[in-house]
Each structure stands twice: as C-alpha cells, then as structure tokens.
Amino acid sequence: MDIEKAIEISELKNEIASYCKTISGKELVNKIRFLTDFSKINKLLSQTEEMKDILLSLKSFPSDNYFDIKAIISSLRADNACISQDSMKLFLLSYSTIRDILSYFSNSEQDKYTYLKSLTENIVFNEELLKECDRIIDVDGNIKDSCSKLLQSIREEKNRKEKAIERKIQSILLSSKANGYTNEEDDITIRNDRVVIPVKATYKKQVKGILHDTSQSGQTFFIEPNEIVELNFDIKELDIKQEKEIHRILLEFTDIIRENVDDLIKCYSFLCVIDFIKAKAEYAIKINANKPIFNKTPKLLWHQARHPFLEQALKKNGKQITPLKIELNEKDRILIISGPNAGGKSVCLKTVALLQYMLQCGLLVPMKQISETGIFDEIFISIGDEQSLENDLSTYSSHLLNMKNLCEKADKDSLFLIDECGTGTDPTIGGAIAESILEYLNSIHCYGVVTTHYSNLKHLALEYDNIVNGAMLFDTEKMIPLYTLTIGTPGSSFAFEIAQKIGLNKSIIDKAKSKIGQTNIKFEQQLQQIEVEKIELEKKNVLMKQYDDTLFETINKYKALNDKLISDKSKILNQARNQAKEILENANKKIEKTIEEIRTSKADKEQVKDIKIEVKKEIEKIEKEIEENSVVEKDKEQEKDKKTNLKILSTPIVENDLVVVGSEQTVFEVVKVRKDKLEIENNGVRLIISKNKVKKIDKKSYNKQLRDNKKNNEYSSNPIMDRINDIRIHFNPQIDLRGKRTEDAIKEVSYHIDQARLLGEREISILHGKGDGILKTMIRDFLRNNREVKSYRAEKVEFGGEGITIVELN
C-alpha cells in the first residue's frame, strides 16, 4: 500500500509549501523523502529546530525579499547578455537579504545555531558587488542620476526642455482661448505621448501644428503647435541618449556579475535552502511540533502525540484533541489495540504512521520533547478499503496482498501498521490467518501496531512476551468513547451498548446477548470500567498531591517566618542585656576613677565613705531598672503566649468548626468534611488537609479573644495572611509581556494566573502586542491547555484588539 497516499503526505507538503516564498523552496518541499540515515535525519531535524528557536526569539530574522534569480544570473554567462532594470532591482533586494542572513549568523553566539551556520561555510558574498548595485539603482528599480555624469547631464537638459515646453504650451493655450479657438473650460492634454491643445473644429486651420486626434463628436481637434514640435523632437533625442547610457551602465554591471556567477548561484541556492528550512519551522510552530529524543535504533516512547490534521479540524469546530501516549520497545514490540467502533483506533494507527514518517523525513513532530523516537528501515501500512476494479481484487484480497508483501520484506528494523487485521472475510478464517501472520512477524522481531475486534488476537498477548494489548477506553455511564489509549489490557467493542444507544430493538439485543453468554459481556464491561476508574483515580491522586504540596509549602513558609521572629526577639534581648552590662562596666570605671581622684586630692575618710555609699545606691538603681525592663519584656511574652493559647477540643470536627494546623496558631474555618480529609479556609485561601494534621479549637474562647484584642487595639500577626495581603496590594490584573522571550513569557503568565487564583480574581489581561503574532499564538496555546482558564478572548478593538488577551479564570 502506498504509505504517502494513506497518511496524506501530499497534504502535509502543501501545508509546508504555503510558507515558502521561492519556487525553489517549494521544489525542495516536494522533494522531501523518507530517510533511514540517522545523521541525515538528525541534521534536518536540528536545522529546523534551530530555525524554530530563531523565529520564536526576540531578535528578528530577515524574512523579506526572498527572490530566486538563479536562472537570471545563469543567463548572464553569455557575452552578449545584459541584465534588465527589473532584474537588477530584484538582485539588489534579494542580495541584501542574503547579506543580512549571513550577518545574523556571524553575529550570533558562537555555540548557537551550529547546524544552520554550517550552511554558510562555502558561501562567498561580494560586498563590493552589492555596493556597486546600490550605487546604480534604488529599491524602486530606478537608475540613479548620480551613477553617471553623462546620464545626469542628459536628465538635467531634458528637465529644462520639458519646463520650456510647459511654459510655451500654456502661452499658446491662453492665446487660443483669447481668440476663441479653444473653449474656456478646456485644458492641455496628451495624445500619442505628445502634449496637445484642444481646438474647435471650425478654427483648426487657425492653429498651425500637427493634428494627433479628434473628439468622438468631431467638434474638437487635438493639435500639437509647431512652436513645440521642435522642442519635443529634442526631448525624444534626449530619451534615446538616456536609454543608450542606461544600457551602457547595465552592460558594465553585467560584466561584473559575469565574473561572479558561480558564487552568486551558490548564494541564491543558500537563500532557497533557508526559505525551505524556515517554512518547515513556521509549520512546526503552527502545529506545536518539537524535536524529540532521537535514537539510532527502533523505538517509540511518545508523550502527548497529536495528529496535526485532526487537531486542526477539531480546532475549527471548537474542540480539543486527546493526545496519544504510546510505547514500543524491544520487550513490547507489537501492540494490539481493541475497543469500540469510532473510538479512535484508526486515528491512533494513522497518528503513529504519519508522525514516524514525518520524523524520518526530517520534520519536527507534534509531541513532547521528552518523547523518545527511533529509526525504522521501512514502514508497512494496511488501512482502509483498497478494493480494485481494475485488478479484479476484493477488499480482503488487497489486504492479503499487503500481508504477503509485508511478510516477504519485513525484518527486525521494520514497523508495520495494520487496521482491522483479518476483517473482510469469514471471521473464524480471517481471525486465524491474522493470528498466524502476527505470530510470524513476532518471530522475526518486527515492530508493529494492529487494531482489531477479534478475541483470538487479544489472547496473543497472553501467549507471547513481546506482544501487548491496548484498549481505546469507553465511558459506560455516559456511553461515549474517551479516545484514550491505555496499554496493558484489551478493550471491548461495546457493540450491545452502542446498539442500545442508537435505539435498536431491545428484544433483538437481548437475544444476541443470550447467544454469547452474559459472563463474557460482564467481564469485558467490568474490565473497561476498571480502566476508566483507574484513570480517574490517578487524576484525583495527582490533584490531591498538588493540594498536599501547596499546604506543605504554606506551613513551611509560616514556620520559617515564625522561627525568624523568635530568632529576632532573642537577638534583641541579648543585645539589650549586653548594652546594660556595658553601661554598668562604664559606670564602675567612672566610679573607680572618681575614687582615685579623691585619694590623690587627699580627701578625708568620711567624704570617701559618703561617696561610696552614693555610688552603690546608683549601681543598685541601674540594676533595678535593668531587672524591671527584663520583667516587663518577660511579662509581655507571657501575656502574648496567653493571648495565643487557644482551648483545644477533642469532639468530632464538623462544618463551620474552627481548627489550627499542627502546632501553629493560624485559625481556619472548616468548609467541608470528607472521609479522612478537611477542606479549610482562611481569608479566601482554601486548603485540603488530613484530619490528623489539625486541632479543633473552642469557637467561643477564640471569638472572645478576638474581641479583647480589638478593645486593646491589638492584632495578632498572621504571616501567611500578611503575605497574601501584601500580594493583593501590589497585584495588577494586567501583565505586560512585550519584548519577552516566549519561554519567559509563559512562566510569567503561569505565575500571574496562580496569584490571581490565590486572590480570588476572576479575570486578568495579558498585553503581548501584535507583531508577527508568534508570542500571542504561543500564549493562547498555553491558555487553551491550562485547567485554571475558563475562556479567553481578544480585547475590544478600541482598547487594544488582538494585542491584548482577556483571560477568564475558573
């Protein structure tokens, strides 16, 4: 089967080609082929990835004037060839672009864009040639007066002659009107590229000159007066001289180009390659494609892989695609997917085929960068109805021919993709043949993905270690497919459920059920339901872990702040004690000095005794003050502890109770009681926490404490709420991302959304500017996949339009 036709590669090429600006770029797109050489594929992927990074960066890449003029330049090899003015204009514009591209790479950091820089290694750019071209012609394609003294003098003379003609013809017109030969409302006009005046038919012989035209009515003759005929001949002669001089200038420039033809053709080939790579990168940005981890061996470990065509179609209808996670490795080489009709089995198969083919064509693929990919020497595909009237082949015959071709050519480095394996004939025989084919392919160590409804194929996974089952899940409660692939268990077709949903007669369905037995039906249903519930449980576990992480982080912040306060208090008290000690030491020194002075002055003993008593009293007084200050501080601490000492209750916790978290004193209100967890709230901040991590407090004593604090104008400090209030004061609903790198901008949007949700905001705005739209596109893609975002839209035109995105939060 033609794989390119089956996976619509031509449509993919058309999409990429639409971004090309040169015909040669489009031709390169058309030449995209499936490759098996690791180094070639890696080179192509890396080139496109580097160009994608460039287009998403702040530094603008040259994107205008991509003109492929290789054919024109090649034609100038002939000795008698001469470049035209139009071709010279294209050369000036496009050769300038080539210079700018080369300059972009040479001025970038040494270790950046290494694969793209390698394309410039053999490019010889002639700066003097560009300067000479710019000296001769301007960007509008006009030959400059200054490029030749003769040309300049010719044009100046022509300008003088034209002004003389204008003056003369105006004079003749006024005279003709004065004599009544010309109507007052008529004016000078042009006929046969000559300046003429309209003359009434009855006076045509009164104005001497050359008749060039008459009006439709025949009442007006358009005559070129004899007085300006000679001047017009002079201008015609000057025009001939001008054309001759311009041709000489173009011939001289052609001679310069002729000397550089080979280098110029290399330059323009380089421009076309850049155009081709740039088109692939722009398409990769559109479908959010990346370069995954690339291995030399066969392997698939894809995360959030998406079929680009299906995703675009769903977006047009306001829907989102369900990404695919799939794995094939040396241990699990063959995946057998089962599940309901229209449940996504064929889409899964086509996604694997298209993305693997794209990858080995050197194209970036829409999946997470952490995905792992490998190389297959050949991809075999059998999908859809290949009935052939020309070759007299039925659908099943065509299917068998594909299987024959597969079994003859496949090996351990091949990937096969078979949709509805074994269908189209008697189910028992078709299933047996399909089973044998898969057993053979497994024996030669092929890799493959197969979709089926046959139970015998599902059982192969139980018999062979290298075959694994997969299921497209189905919601048995809502009776809708989930389009989600889960690996490890087989799926059910849910034929009875679907038949019931579309309204098939119940008695018919019941009779059909009795024919195959209820045990088998219930087993398949329960198997699928277990998988659905397992996925839901995993989602809830992830959400619960996020809540626990948030609570843990909040408690740690609170403890850190509390520890800092205790540490600061201890430092202040120690500092005060040290200062007091220093005061005492200084006082003692002063006293000793005073006593020494008394002795040297020979004061009597009584005087000395009195002084000592006074000094002692002064020391006792200072010590008492220090002690009193310490007691006051201690009393304040005790009083503070007393105020925050809340009465703990041991009764069961119910809604509207008050609790504290752990040993902390932050009080939360219980909003909802679950089995072993609580949903608690403080100032709009909600947390989910285990019951064993909180203590119930007495609401009456807590309210009394609040009233007492209010009377005394005392407010207990709550570091967490203080921090939230601080965020609220400085929070601005609008964030300005203009000039930001895409990666940094996405991080800021995520942080801004988190702050808005913390503060209970329901709407924010993002100012990203219009520009080329890449930053806006990436931000809106991020918003589309953010579960905190309810919707987004562009601002009204009068307030900024597409330059601002309004985001409504859940």
Side-chain angles (χ1 to χ4, degrees):
M1 184 175 188
D2 184 356
I3 185 170
E4 291 203 351
K5 182 180 178 181
I7 60 178
E8 302 175 287
I9 283 295
S10 59
E11 184 177 339
L12 177 73
K13 289 180 179 179
N14 290 337
E15 286 256 17
I16 297 171
S18 67
Y19 290 95
C20 290
K21 298 180 179 180
T22 64
I23 294 175
S24 292
K26 295 179 189 294
E27 290 172 351
L28 288 171
V29 172
N30 193 49
K31 291 178 182 177
I32 289 175
R33 291 292 179 267
F34 183 80
L35 303 171
T36 56
D37 185 296
F38 175 82
S39 59
K40 288 182 180 178
I41 298 170
N42 189 58
K43 178 182 176 182
L44 293 172
L45 291 172
S46 300
Q47 287 174 348
T48 310
E49 183 184 40
E50 288 180 352
M51 182 59 75
K52 177 189 167 189
D53 290 342
I54 287 172
L55 296 178
L56 292 175
S57 68
L58 293 176
K59 189 177 179 183
S60 178
F61 187 79
S63 300
D64 295 325
N65 302 319
Y66 280 58
F67 302 120
D68 179 16
I69 58 172
K70 292 195 297 294
I72 295 172
I73 292 171
S74 184
S75 69
L76 299 179
R77 292 181 189 271
D79 292 337
N80 61 344
C82 180
I83 192 169
S84 67
Q85 264 184 254
D86 289 340
S87 297
M88 196 169 177
K89 171 190 173 182
L90 295 178
F91 176 79
L92 174 66
L93 296 173
S94 56
Y95 204 48
S96 298
T97 296
I98 294 171
R99 176 201 59 196
D100 294 341
I101 293 171
L102 293 171
S103 177
Y104 186 99
F105 290 130
S106 63
N107 292 330
S108 62
E109 297 174 25
Q110 187 174 359
D111 59 342
K112 293 188 76 174
Y113 315 132
T114 53
Y115 284 92
L116 290 175
K117 285 179 181 177
S118 67
L119 297 174
T120 69
E121 290 174 357
N122 298 318
I123 303 301
V124 178
F125 186 83
N126 193 329
E127 188 68 44
E128 295 303 318
L129 180 59
L130 181 61
K131 287 181 180 178
E132 180 63 14
C133 183
D134 185 54
R135 185 186 71 81
I136 295 170
I137 200 168
D138 62 25
V139 293
D140 295 321
N142 300 312
I143 301 296
K144 296 179 180 178
D145 295 350
S146 58
C147 72
S148 162
K149 289 184 178 179
L150 177 58
L151 181 63
Q152 187 171 3
S153 65
I154 290 171
R155 287 178 173 175
E156 287 174 352
E157 179 63 21
K158 181 182 176 182
N159 188 45
R160 286 194 295 271
K161 295 283 186 182
E162 286 173 342
K163 288 182 179 179
I165 288 174
E166 186 179 352
R167 289 193 298 270
K168 189 68 177 176
I169 197 75
Q170 285 289 352
S171 174
I172 294 170
L173 179 65
L174 290 173
S175 175
S176 180
K177 287 182 178 181
N179 293 323
Y181 305 154
T182 300
N183 294 321
E184 285 295 328
E185 65 274 12
D186 288 342
D187 205 349
I188 297 167
T189 186
I190 302 292
R191 289 292 187 275
N192 299 327
D193 295 327
R194 306 303 286 259
V195 180
V196 296
I197 60 172
V199 178
K200 296 175 184 178
T202 52
Y203 298 106
K204 63 181 184 294
K205 293 185 178 180
Q206 303 300 319
V207 180
K208 304 300 180 184
I210 300 172
L211 176 66
H212 285 282
D213 198 6
T214 61
S215 64
Q216 289 183 350
S217 64
Q219 298 299 309
T220 303
F221 282 62
F222 297 97
I223 298 172
E224 179 185 8
N226 285 335
E227 292 92 327
I228 65 169
V229 170
E230 187 175 345
L231 290 173
N232 277 328
F233 280 134
D234 291 343
I235 287 177
K236 190 66 176 176
E237 186 178 352
L238 289 171
D239 284 338
I240 293 170
K241 288 181 179 180
Q242 177 178 258
E243 289 177 10
K244 185 177 179 181
E245 177 61 10
I246 288 174
H247 185 68
R248 183 193 67 79
I249 293 167
L250 294 176
L251 277 174
E252 284 186 356
F253 186 72
T254 303
D255 291 338
I256 301 173
I257 286 184
R258 192 175 293 115
E259 296 171 0
N260 297 275
V261 166
D262 291 337
D263 289 338
L264 288 173
I265 288 177
K266 286 182 180 179
C267 282
Y268 280 92
S269 296
F270 165 74
L271 180 65
C272 294
V273 170
I274 291 295
D275 182 38
F276 168 58
I277 296 171
K278 186 167 171 288
K280 291 191 293 181
E282 287 177 335
Y283 181 66
I285 291 171
K286 177 184 176 181
I287 64 173
N288 194 20
N290 298 295
K291 180 189 175 186
I293 300 168
F294 190 40
N295 300 293
K296 294 181 180 179
T297 54
K299 185 174 186 180
L300 269 73
L301 178 53
W302 296 356
H303 298 277
Q304 294 191 17
R306 307 174 314 281
H307 194 295
F309 302 155
L310 176 61
E311 185 171 29
Q312 289 177 54
L314 289 173
K315 279 184 179 179
K316 288 179 181 178
N317 294 319
K319 299 178 181 178
Q320 288 190 344
I321 194 169
T322 302
L324 172 68
K325 181 180 180 183
I326 189 169
E327 180 175 9
L328 294 180
N329 53 48
E330 197 170 346
K331 179 178 174 294
D332 298 325
R333 293 194 307 270
I334 298 176
L335 174 64
I336 298 176
I337 303 174
S338 49
N341 286 319
K345 298 191 301 297
S346 297
V347 170
C348 177
L349 201 75
K350 285 186 176 182
T351 301
V352 174
L354 178 60
L355 268 55
Q356 185 63 38
Y357 202 88
M358 285 175 64
L359 183 82
Q360 292 193 229
C361 287
L363 300 172
L364 301 184
V365 285
M367 63 178 67
K368 286 284 188 181
Q369 283 181 303
I370 59 171
S371 300
E372 294 187 48
T373 57
I375 292 180
F376 296 94
D377 286 346
E378 196 164 0
I379 300 176
F380 299 90
I381 188 168
S382 178
I383 189 170
D385 186 356
E386 284 191 281
Q387 189 171 222
S388 173
L389 296 176
E390 182 181 345
N391 297 319
D392 192 26
L393 292 175
S394 68
T395 300
Y396 187 66
S397 297
S398 296
H399 177 72
L400 282 181
L401 278 177
N402 285 331
M403 296 303 100
K404 174 180 176 290
N405 181 58
L406 168 61
C407 292
E408 288 175 351
K409 296 182 179 179
D411 59 24
K412 64 182 179 61
D413 294 319
S414 300
L415 174 68
F416 63 88
L417 305 160
I418 307 172
D419 190 29
E420 301 295 352
C421 187
T423 56
T425 187
D426 181 278
T428 305
I429 299 172
I433 293 175
E435 184 177 341
S436 298
I437 289 171
L438 291 180
E439 287 175 335
Y440 171 74
L441 294 172
N442 182 52
S443 70
I444 61 174
H445 305 290
C446 276
Y447 290 78
V449 181
V450 174
T451 68
T452 187
H453 289 285
Y454 290 167
S455 296
N456 66 313
L457 299 187
K458 300 177 191 179
H459 294 157
L460 283 176
L462 303 176
E463 300 177 30
Y464 298 96
D465 292 336
N466 303 114
I467 300 178
V468 63
N469 274 314
M472 302 306 298
L473 296 183
F474 189 86
D475 191 326
T476 55
E477 293 182 2
K478 297 180 181 177
M479 297 301 297
I480 57 172
L482 299 176
Y483 306 108
T484 300
L485 172 67
T486 179
I487 296 176
T489 56
S492 169
S493 297
F494 287 96
F496 291 125
E497 288 78 6
I498 294 171
Q500 186 176 345
K501 184 181 180 183
I502 65 172
L504 186 64
N505 189 293
K506 186 176 183 298
S507 63
I508 296 175
I509 296 172
D510 291 340
K511 190 171 183 180
K513 286 180 180 180
S514 67
K515 289 179 181 292
I516 65 169
Q518 288 292 328
T519 304
N520 184 49
I521 297 171
K522 289 180 179 178
F523 174 74
E524 285 198 345
Q525 289 176 344
Q526 289 169 357
L527 196 64
Q528 282 285 289
Q529 192 59 34
I530 287 170
E531 283 298 323
V532 173
E533 290 174 359
K534 177 185 171 184
I535 291 173
E536 288 298 318
L537 187 60
E538 286 174 354
K539 289 180 181 178
K540 289 179 180 178
N541 284 339
V542 170
L543 188 62
M544 195 65 69
K545 186 178 182 303
Q546 290 174 347
Y547 284 137
D548 285 345
D549 290 344
T550 302
L551 178 60
F552 182 74
E553 183 182 355
T554 304
I555 290 173
N556 282 342
K557 286 180 180 179
Y558 179 83
K559 285 183 176 179
L561 288 168
N562 192 49
D563 291 344
K564 187 175 184 302
L565 287 173
I566 293 171
S567 175
D568 289 346
K569 180 186 75 172
S570 179
K571 288 178 182 178
I572 292 169
L573 289 174
N574 288 333
Q575 185 179 0
R577 291 189 185 98
N578 290 334
Q579 287 177 349
K581 187 177 179 182
E582 187 179 351
I583 292 170
L584 287 175
E585 288 177 354
N586 290 335
N588 282 328
K589 288 178 183 179
K590 190 171 182 180
I591 291 167
E592 292 297 330
K593 184 179 178 183
T594 304
I595 293 170
E596 184 62 30
E597 288 176 354
I598 292 170
R599 285 175 179 169
T600 53
S601 63
K602 296 180 180 180
D604 59 39
K605 290 181 181 181
E606 289 299 323
Q607 287 178 325
V608 173
K609 187 177 179 181
D610 292 340
I611 290 171
K612 282 185 177 182
I613 291 170
E614 289 180 10
V615 168
K616 188 177 180 181
K617 287 180 180 178
E618 187 66 27
I619 291 171
E620 289 175 352
K621 182 181 178 182
I622 292 171
E623 287 178 341
K624 188 177 180 181
E625 287 179 0
I626 292 171
E627 187 177 348
E628 286 175 353
N629 286 336
S630 298
V631 170
V632 169
E633 289 296 325
K634 188 174 181 181
D635 289 343
K636 285 183 179 178
E637 291 299 317
Q638 290 176 347
E639 181 65 23
K640 185 177 179 182
D641 289 341
K642 186 177 179 181
K643 286 178 182 178
T644 57
N645 186 19
L646 300 169
K647 184 178 179 181
I648 306 299
L649 302 176
S650 58
T651 55
I653 299 174
V654 297
E655 289 184 10
N656 300 321
D657 277 350
L658 298 181
V659 295
V660 290
V661 179
S663 60
E664 308 302 330
Q665 298 301 320
T666 303
V667 178
F668 289 84
E669 182 179 0
V670 177
V671 178
K672 190 173 183 180
V673 179
R674 302 183 181 180
K675 186 176 180 182
D676 57 351
K677 293 187 179 292
L678 301 173
E679 188 173 339
I680 58 177
E681 180 180 9
N682 184 315
N683 281 5
V685 178
R686 288 199 176 191
L687 304 173
I688 293 178
I689 189 170
S690 299
K691 286 183 178 179
N692 58 10
K693 293 183 179 180
V694 303
K695 295 177 183 178
K696 180 178 176 180
I697 64 168
D698 182 54
K699 189 181 288 188
K700 290 182 179 179
S701 61
Y702 175 70
N703 290 333
K704 183 178 182 300
Q705 178 183 304
L706 288 180
R707 289 193 298 271
D708 293 342
N709 288 345
K710 189 173 181 181
K711 288 177 182 178
N712 298 324
N713 293 323
E714 294 176 4
Y715 299 92
S716 57
S717 176
N718 186 335
I720 300 172
M721 293 305 118
D722 289 348
R723 173 62 179 151
I724 292 173
N725 289 333
D726 184 59
I727 293 172
R728 189 182 299 280
I729 290 169
H730 297 94
F731 180 76
N732 184 349
Q734 184 174 85
I735 181 173
D736 188 350
L737 301 176
R738 289 174 297 178
K740 301 278 187 183
R741 285 176 59 86
T742 303
E743 185 178 347
D744 296 335
I746 295 297
K747 287 180 180 178
E748 289 196 28
V749 170
S750 178
Y751 179 71
H752 198 63
I753 289 173
D754 289 344
Q755 282 197 324
R757 293 288 289 120
L758 180 66
L759 300 176
E761 297 288 336
R762 286 292 176 265
E763 186 175 281
I764 62 171
S765 63
I766 303 171
L767 174 58
H768 42 63
K770 297 178 182 178
D772 53 16
I774 291 175
L775 181 59
K776 177 188 73 176
T777 300
M778 298 304 291
I779 288 173
R780 290 185 178 177
D781 283 344
F782 170 76
L783 295 173
R784 187 180 302 110
N785 298 314
N786 192 307
R787 64 183 182 187
E788 301 291 352
V789 176
K790 183 178 181 181
S791 65
Y792 62 86
R793 66 183 188 277
E795 179 59 280
K796 293 180 180 178
V797 176
E798 60 267 29
F799 299 124
E802 288 294 332
I804 298 175
T805 297
I806 304 299
V807 183
E808 185 180 355
L809 302 176
N810 286 317

